[in-house]
Amino acid sequence: DLSHFHPAQAAKVGCLMEILTVAELAAMLRLSKSQIYEMTKARTRSGDIRQYPLPVLRFGASVRFRKSDVEAWVEKLVARGK
């Protein structure tokens, strides 16, 4: 619940709450964690995903994903497949 935050602070906190770990993204996309890690390293092995690389945030050795970026990425892939 963000009701105790000032609206500007709530927006910032809300954005941070939408950061996904590798495990969370893997569950969301129904992929294995190793597939997600591979996609963050090589971006892809083949196919159209090269044109639309998985959006990743790097914090040192850690990787995270903004949910909104991933959702937009999936939409691009779906639109490309139509």
Side-chain angles (χ1 to χ4, degrees):
D1 179 26
L2 300 177
S3 61
H4 61 281
F5 286 99
H6 181 276
Q9 290 174 319
K12 290 178 186 177
V13 172
C15 177
L16 292 176
M17 293 174 70
E18 294 294 311
I19 301 295
L20 303 173
T21 64
V22 171
E24 291 167 335
L25 181 61
M28 181 178 145
L29 298 178
R30 297 182 182 182
L31 297 171
S32 69
K33 290 192 304 184
S34 61
Q35 286 174 302
I36 299 297
Y37 278 117
E38 192 63 32
M39 292 171 77
T40 64
K41 290 179 189 172
R43 298 295 182 154
T44 186
R45 291 184 183 172
S46 64
D48 290 339
I49 295 175
R50 284 186 196 269
Q51 295 174 3
Y52 304 103
L54 178 64
V56 62
L57 301 171
R58 295 191 186 278
F59 299 100
S62 298
V63 291
R64 297 290 185 269
F65 309 89
R66 276 186 28 191
K67 186 176 180 183
S68 60
D69 290 345
V70 173
E71 289 170 340
W73 174 76
V74 169
E75 288 300 318
K76 285 181 185 177
L77 292 179
V78 169
R80 178 79 171 150
K82 290 184 179 178

